[in-house]
Every structure is written in C-alpha cells, then in structure tokens.
C-alpha cells in the first residue's frame, strides 16, 4: 500500500480520486523552494509558466520560452525527491502541432519533470493524444487559460454563462478522453467546477475554482505573501513573508552602513 511518505507517482492520482483524498499542489521554480515544499509534504510540484510574472518580471506568460522552462524544471527537479513533478508547456511549445509538442514535452522530461501540463480543451485533443502515445503523462488545463489572455480580453472568470459553461464541460471531457491523467480547472464558478469534477474519472485540481475539486494548486509567491503586483480573489495568503524579508535586508543594510557587520565572529 502507498502511503504519503512514499515517492509519489502518476498511479497515486486515480487512487486519490477514488478515495476522495485531496491533492495538494504548489508551484516552484528552483531547487531551494522545491526542496522546502517537498520536505513539507506536498503531493505535487508544478513548474508553472507563471514563472514569467513571479520570477522573470514579465507582464504575462507569453514571453516564457522552452529554454526558461527547461532550466527551471531542471532546478526544481534537483530539489524534489518525493513529490510528483509537473512542468508547464510554455506558449508556442505545443500550439504549432503535435510533432513539436512531443519534442518539447520530451525535453521537459529530460530536464527532470515526470509529466507536462498544457492549456486548452478540444483544440489540443490531438496534441495530448500524441504526447501520451509517447508515454509522457499529460495534465490538462481548462477554464481561465493564461496563455489565451488576449482572446479572453484579460484574466476573467470563464464559464459564467451557460454556453461557455457547456463548452468548458466538453473541453474537460475531451482532455480526459485524449489521455490526460488529471486536469487543472482555473478561474471558473465553483458549481461548474464541482459538476466537472463529478463528471470526470480523472482528478481535477482547482485554482479559483472553489472547494469541490479533487485538489488545489496555488502559486508559491501568492501563498507565501511575496507577490503583490496582482492579488486575485481566490488567493489565500498562508504567510506574509514579504515584510520579514524586507526587515532582514533593512537590518543588514543598517549594520553594513553602521560598521557593525561583519563583527569579529564573522571574520577570519
Ligand atoms: O503557471 C502556473 O503556475 C499554473 C498554475 C497557476 C495552475 O498554470
């Protein structure tokens, strides 16, 4: 029997869904934080393309490249022992067709990911099929898909009206039928997320999709209270780390300027 102290694999996801055990996922982009989260016992670590905003200072995820994702996936993989590691496929790494998508998904696995995640529903069905046919596990991502920011006219909750709600149900089904082992539901009404979760046999991981998904994911800088540029309603800050970090750096600057650091105990 698998316990949550064993190495987590793709086989745990259907078991958790069956048993109704909630799945805990968090983003990480480097070895240091991946190690901390791994040791804290999360089930899964996502090297998200949110890297663009929260690490690289970009305005959105569209400028994130495969080189960025390979580099950061490798770093996160070196810090992860137990959690299941998923890497996002960035914009233009899969949209141009299944052949390129397979090659790019493979590069992320070579960097240390155990699965890739890609945005889209029915439009990416064939791509998901092609990647999973190569034995690369795929997580889907439906609803508010940040790489479609310009089509959506901004980061808006999706599926509030019946027609789009039905489209999202169909998208989630299509992703499952194409072979995805799990799907992220982002920025959709809680009732719709609950319906999709009940309809699917694969686990749903929610972000801004209410409490009735099979698991939850948050961006680490949001959860830790480190990122202030953008604060969506669905974010709960489980820490307020910006202030202690600032305080520590201010104290350091004051001691350097005041000549009290380094002291004798820090000198050779
Ligand atoms: O890029 C990311 O961090 C994500 C999660 C927010 C789901 O896709």
């Amino acid at each position: 029997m698998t316990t949550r102290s064993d190495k987590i694999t793709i086989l745990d996801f259907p078991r958790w869904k069956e048993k109704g055990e909630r799945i805990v996922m968090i983003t990480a982009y480097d070895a240091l934080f991946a190690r901390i989260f791994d040791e804290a016992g999360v089930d899964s670590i996502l090297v998200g393309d949110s890297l663009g905003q929260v690490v690289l200072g970009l305005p959105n995820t569209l400028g994130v490249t495969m080189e960025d994702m390979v580099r950061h996936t490798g770093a996160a993989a070196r810090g992860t022992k137990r959690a299941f590691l998923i890497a996002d496929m960035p914009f233009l790494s899969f949209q141009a067709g299944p052949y390129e998508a397979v090659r790019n998904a493979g590069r992320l696995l070579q960097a240390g990911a155990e699965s890739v995640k890609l945005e889209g529903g029915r439009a990416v069905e064939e791509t998901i099929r092609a990647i999973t046919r190569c034995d690369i596990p795929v997580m889907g991502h439906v609803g508010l898909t940040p790489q479609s920011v310009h089509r959506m006219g901004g980061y808006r909750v999706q599926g509030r009206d019946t027609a789009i709600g039905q489209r999202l149900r169909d998208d989630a089904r299509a992703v499952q039928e194409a072979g995805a082992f799990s799907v992220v539901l982002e920025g959709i009404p809680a009732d719709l997320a609950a319906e999709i979760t009940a309809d699917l046999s694969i686990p749903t991981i929610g972000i801004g999709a209410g409490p009735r998904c099979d698991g939850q994911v948050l961006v680490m800088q949001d959860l830790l209270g480190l990122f202030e540029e953008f604060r969506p309603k669905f974010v709960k800050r489980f820490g307020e780390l910006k202030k202690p970090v600032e305080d520590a750096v201010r104290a350091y600057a004051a001691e350097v300027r005041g000549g009290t650091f380094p002291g004798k105990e820090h000198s050779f």
Side-chain angles (χ1 to χ4, degrees), residues 69-78 85 105-113:
M69 290 306 302
V70 166
R71 190 77 172 152
H72 286 270
T73 298
R78 289 187 283 278
L85 189 71
R107 285 184 68 196
L108 293 170
L109 254 67
Q110 286 175 330

Side-chain angles (χ1 to χ4, degrees), residues 139-242:
M139 172 175 270
H141 185 157
V142 164
L144 192 170
T145 45
Q147 291 174 20
S148 315
V149 57
H150 297 309
R151 194 251 307 148
M152 296 181 301
Y155 299 107
R156 298 165 188 285
V157 173
Q158 302 292 299
R160 277 206 165 117
D161 72 70
T162 324
I164 299 191
Q166 187 51 47
R167 201 194 74 206
L168 294 179
R169 277 189 204 94
D170 295 344
D171 280 341
R173 267 241 153 210
V175 160
Q176 168 174 292
E177 257 130 55
F181 72 96
S182 175
V183 60
V184 166
L185 302 179
E186 177 167 358
I188 66 173
D191 286 345
L192 177 60
E195 278 174 43
I196 294 175
T197 300
D199 181 51
L200 297 188
S201 56
I202 59 172
T204 61
I205 311 290
I207 172 160
R212 287 168 285 162
C213 297
D214 298 304
Q216 296 291 327
V217 57
L218 280 178
V219 169
M220 56 156 279
Q221 287 83 353
D222 289 338
L223 178 162
L224 296 176
L226 283 167
F227 189 72
E228 300 212 308
E229 267 94 296
F230 184 60
R231 198 168 166 175
K233 175 180 174 183
F234 61 79
V235 166
K236 177 167 176 183
R237 293 162 79 120
F238 289 84
E240 290 295 342
L241 299 198
K242 184 165 183 262

Side-chain angles (χ1 to χ4, degrees), residues 10-182:
I10 192 174
L11 302 178
D12 290 302
F13 285 77
R15 287 188 193 126
W16 290 329
K17 172 104 182 176
E18 204 182 300
K19 290 188 192 159
E21 282 182 38
R22 294 277 167 91
I23 302 163
V24 179
M25 185 158 130
I26 186 171
T27 67
Y29 314 89
D30 61 31
L32 178 75
F33 276 105
R35 187 169 298 119
I36 293 172
F37 302 154
D38 195 60
E39 286 173 7
V42 300
D43 300 316
S44 181
I45 292 177
L46 170 69
V47 188
D49 63 352
S50 48
L51 171 77
Q53 288 112 311
V54 297
V55 176
L56 303 178
L58 296 170
N60 53 47
T61 57
L62 300 178
V64 177
T65 65
M66 269 304 296
E67 280 57 45
D68 295 330
M69 290 306 302
V70 166
R71 190 77 172 152
H72 286 270
T73 298
R78 289 187 283 278
T80 307
K81 282 204 182 116
R82 179 188 151 276
F84 189 74
L85 189 71
I86 302 166
D88 246 339
M89 297 200 66
F91 183 58
L92 287 188
S93 69
F94 63 92
Q95 285 90 344
Y99 178 77
E100 249 184 72
V102 168
R103 292 198 70 86
N104 285 324
R107 285 184 68 196
L108 293 170
L109 254 67
Q110 286 175 330
E114 294 164 285
S115 155
V116 298
K117 173 168 86 55
L118 59 91
E119 295 182 11
R122 282 160 302 168
V124 293
E125 239 181 304
E126 275 320 304
T127 302
I128 295 178
R129 265 186 231 289
I131 300 174
T132 54
R133 255 200 305 270
C134 298
D135 288 343
I136 299 174
V138 173
M139 172 175 270
H141 185 157
V142 164
L144 192 170
T145 45
Q147 291 174 20
S148 315
V149 57
H150 297 309
R151 194 251 307 148
M152 296 181 301
Y155 299 107
R156 298 165 188 285
V157 173
Q158 302 292 299
R160 277 206 165 117
D161 72 70
T162 324
I164 299 191
Q166 187 51 47
R167 201 194 74 206
L168 294 179
R169 277 189 204 94
D170 295 344
D171 280 341
R173 267 241 153 210
V175 160
Q176 168 174 292
E177 257 130 55
F181 72 96
S182 175

